[in-house]
């Protein structure tokens, strides 16, 4: 068996020790005679797995008891509706910042439930940057302010947390959760699909400040109600137990690596190495303003697009997988989440240099 | 490693060959150098896994192209809202049959969105039976008729499919899907949480007749819209890929066993053996009318409830797990889904006889 370097944007590579543990446990967890995925979610064994995962995440991210940590389903796309339906009771509008494809999806779904104020957009700059704080035309009466700290497709990442006064700040942290230290207390609500930095697809983490609960719209499905999930420890019905268990193993692994501080240092080095290689050559390009380049998702183009297929084929031969850019933008994209080791980035850079020498 | 017999109602035991395959594949699927859970859902590899699973399920259940097969998230409890929000456009009421705890949950959620006609209830009989066809007071103007073919907690199962005329019939098949031959064409919509007869928790199957799409309520979240899921092959966003892959392995396994016909024969034998043991002794009891006893969930009581703890402790010592009844009803419950081999039922019956001899 030879493990490849997998640059997929999501579902993404998982840490090898996590997969090895899951493989060892698969048919018989700790000698109990059954798989984690066969356990009752109400058994002592699974409840201890679930609680441990939450506890470790709270430690890693510095999450206080003011916040509920919810293990939900449906991905970030389900949250696009869940958020307005939970937070807008008593408010008739919400503020949204538009920085690309994922912002737009969040805005489109929110518009089905409320008036949306697009308080800043960098579309005129072709989404090559995030707005500055001074550009945000915030509305004090908004139910919340939503933004997308990292645009997975565009490869754009804020280098600051917006100051939105007393209005709750809501953030899609799918790609950047656990990737560096973040001050959770600045947020009213954070959500993240698991399939990038947390675990397998099918699990969605929601951190919500408890004072924001109870602002629900009447049409909210019970299963999407944060206060119901909180009251039942995310077990109002059967949760995705195996994904939850894997998330716990990933949290343990992050802790063993030194936590989010160490992750941030590693991710900075990886990103600098890869952007450095792109910038040092006219053969490759990345259009994002350096200040706003994502540490997690690195899109790049070949000056000669006719070489794209040859680049991808050669990469795959060397075990560098899933480098094709999103179908909506083309080009290349290397997603280098926590689980991507520096050796993977080095292998990619070495291949890029070789390919350029052969073809330039 | 010694695998126990796991009688959990869900998440439930999976077939051992399925777990063995998943374990072998876990770090490197077919020499591709990555786990299934690390694959892009849009990769050729995963799309082939996904399509194969759907194809096998269609073969097993005889599902025609008139029906969409959707791989969704959120469990049956999410469907309790998804169903009225999808099917009630243009209708102001729905018919529901009440046969126990899961019926009641479906009714409670539907009432949040529409007028519910409870067209029959066996609560006066303490849910020891299902209603007869002649008891159903159906409304021709209802948007649909919902019933629960198997009550997982009560241990109650219909031995017939209700005739509801031209109104679409909607059924929660969570516990009984693939457990015996069923005439799919009698239903407008079937839904099933995966964690009993299909795979791990976190995946929900929905089979919906395509002519029923487009009857949505405006407040329906996009991610819960059957027509959106259908149009995007259940990949409007990232689906729970690993659960989907495991479901495919389970479908292959069912096919290897001889399909739902063979499953039905096996399940009948298992149920007859266990109910026979219960009925042959005054030490054990089951209150359900024999005609309506579930083949999948077999609740039973000890005449002397003070022996419950000793019974459960002795069972666990012998590797007979999760026999405790649901916390809302107490007593015992043996769930004997497809993956429970006859040897497991034999081991349980042998233990029950031994325990009775010791304690009676």
């Amino acid at each position: 068996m030879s493990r490849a370097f997998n640059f997929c944007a999501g579902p993404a590579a998982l840490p090898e020790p996590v997969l090895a543990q899951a493989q060892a446990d698969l048919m018989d967890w700790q000698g109990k005679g059954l798989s984690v995925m066969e356990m009752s979610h109400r058994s002592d064994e699974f409840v201890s797995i679930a609680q441990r995962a939450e506890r470790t995440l709270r430690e890693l991210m510095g999450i206080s008891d003011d916040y509920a940590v919810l293990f939900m389903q449906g991905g970030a796309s389900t949250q696009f509706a869940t958020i307005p339906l939970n937070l807008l009771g008593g408010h008739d509008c919400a503020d949204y910042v538009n920085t690309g494809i994922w912002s737009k999806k969040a805005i489109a779904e929110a518009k089905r439930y409320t008036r949306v104020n697009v308080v800043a957009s960098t579309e005129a700059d072709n989404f090559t940057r995030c707005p500055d704080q001074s550009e945000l035309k915030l509305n004090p009466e908004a139910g919340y302010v939503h933004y997308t700290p990292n645009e997975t497709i565009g490869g754009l990442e804020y280098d600051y947390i917006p100051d939105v006064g007393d209005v709750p700040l809501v953030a899609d942290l799918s790609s950047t959760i656990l990737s560096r230290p973040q001050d959770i207390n600045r947020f009213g609500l954070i959500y993240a699909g698991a399939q990038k930095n947390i675990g397998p697809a099918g699990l969605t983490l929601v951190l919500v400040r408890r004072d924001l609960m109870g602002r629900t719209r009447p049409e909210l499905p019970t299963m999407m109600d944060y206060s119901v999930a909180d009251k039942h420890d995310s077990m109002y019905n059967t949760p995705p137990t195996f994904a939850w268990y894997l998330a716990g193993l990933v949290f343990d692994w992050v802790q063993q690596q030194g936590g989010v501080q160490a992750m941030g240092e590693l991710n900075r080095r990886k990103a600098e190495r890869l952007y450095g290689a792109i910038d040092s050559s006219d053969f490759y390009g990345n259009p994002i303003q350096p200040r706003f380049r994502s540490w997690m998702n690195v899109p790049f183009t070949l000056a000669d697009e006719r070489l794209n297929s040859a680049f991808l084929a050669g990469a795959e031969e060397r075990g560098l997988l899933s480098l094709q850019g999103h179908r909506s933008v083309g080009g290349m994209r290397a997603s280098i989440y926590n689980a991507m080791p520096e050796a993977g980035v080095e292998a990619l850079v070495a291949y890029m240099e070789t390919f350029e020498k052969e073809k330039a």
Side-chain angles (χ1 to χ4, degrees), chain A residues 117-128:
Chain A
N117 312 309
V118 177
V119 295
S121 170
T122 54
E123 187 153 22
D125 293 322
N126 213 11
F127 299 126
T128 52

Side-chain angles (χ1 to χ4, degrees), chain A residues 2 60 91 106 150 156 162 186 189 216 229 263-264 271 278 280 289:
Chain A
S2 156
L60 284 170
H91 296 266
N150 183 90
L156 199 61
R186 300 282 302 278
L189 189 150
T216 58
M263 281 292 140
I278 292 166
S280 67
Q289 286 190 8

Side-chain angles (χ1 to χ4, degrees), chain A residues 158-175:
Chain A
Y158 284 72
D159 65 347
Y160 72 100
I161 297 174
D163 180 354
V164 297
D166 290 336
V167 178
L169 182 62
V170 174
D172 177 355
L173 238 63
S174 294
S175 304

Side-chain angles (χ1 to χ4, degrees), chain A residues 135-205:
Chain A
E135 295 175 80
L136 307 178
K137 297 185 177 59
L138 301 169
N139 300 283
E141 78 281 11
Y144 57 87
V145 182
H146 179 281
Y147 83 121
T148 311
N150 183 90
E151 289 279 356
T152 312
I153 295 171
L156 199 61
E157 185 173 353
Y158 284 72
D159 65 347
Y160 72 100
I161 297 174
D163 180 354
V164 297
D166 290 336
V167 178
L169 182 62
V170 174
D172 177 355
L173 238 63
S174 294
S175 304
T176 46
I177 193 166
L178 295 171
S179 69
R180 59 166 92 183
Q182 281 147 330
D183 182 0
I184 299 309
N185 295 314
R186 300 282 302 278
F187 299 93
L189 189 150
I190 285 170
Y191 62 105
Q195 66 272 16
K196 293 147 194 299
N197 263 332
I198 296 171
L203 177 71
T204 313
L205 269 187

